[in-house]
Amino acid sequence: MFGGLSVDCRPLSEGWMFNLETKGWTRTEHQHKDKPRLWHSACQGRDSDVIVFGGSHDYILLVDKGHCNDALVFQTQPYPLIRLCQDFIASRAGVFQLQMLCLPPKLRRAVEERTHRNTQNTSTTAE
């Protein structure tokens, strides 16, 4: 669970996880503490990521200027080794160009998709 509204109508950026075994809530650390959010949507992403998008960072019944168009990604557990390796290779695609040709086709496609996403994210960030 992420964000919400405090009793004094302040948007929150707290993160909480529910443990099904203990039936208890635990506050989680995350990198989005400066991005309070309420009235947003969320979905499960790849590798147990949670993606939060839309919503508002203001209490829109009082102030209507806080609509959010960004997506926040929360990593809920360590990534699998294969994901870490793909990310590493994709972030250094120029260095590994020749080696990528030797990868099995399925793995090569996965790395190429990550490389393509990294390129899109870099160009979007630069704008």
Side-chain angles (χ1 to χ4, degrees):
M1 186 166 65
F2 174 70
L5 197 61
S6 70
V7 292
D8 60 345
C9 295
R10 284 183 306 109
L12 300 172
S13 59
E14 296 176 357
W16 294 84
M17 288 185 74
F18 186 72
N19 184 319
L20 292 173
E21 292 176 14
T22 64
K23 296 181 178 34
W25 290 93
T26 304
R27 193 172 188 163
T28 61
E29 292 298 317
H30 58 84
Q31 70 274 24
H32 304 295
K33 290 184 177 164
D34 61 334
K35 297 186 179 194
R37 198 65 55 103
L38 59 149
W39 296 310
H40 53 279
S41 299
C43 66
Q44 184 172 357
R46 205 174 212 185
D47 297 323
S48 297
D49 286 343
V50 174
I51 302 166
V52 170
F53 50 95
S56 177
H57 59 79
D58 287 324
Y59 184 42
I60 62 174
L61 296 179
L62 299 176
V63 180
D64 191 13
K65 63 179 172 109
H67 296 287
C68 300
N69 294 322
D70 58 344
L72 310 176
V73 179
F74 294 84
Q75 182 181 347
T76 61
Q77 63 185 9
Y79 289 141
L81 182 57
I82 187 74
R83 161 96 185 252
L84 295 174
C85 292
Q86 289 171 353
D87 287 348
F88 181 81
I89 294 169
S91 69
R92 293 158 182 82
V95 175
F96 293 112
Q97 269 182 331
L98 295 176
Q99 292 83 355
M100 283 176 55
L101 297 174
C102 300
L103 292 173
K106 184 177 179 181
L107 182 56
R108 185 171 59 238
R109 276 192 303 275
V111 171
E112 287 169 350
E113 286 176 15
R114 286 211 184 281
T115 303
H116 182 68
R117 271 188 243 134
N118 285 351
T119 305
Q120 284 180 330
N121 290 344
T122 304
S123 65
T124 304
T125 306
E127 294 172 355

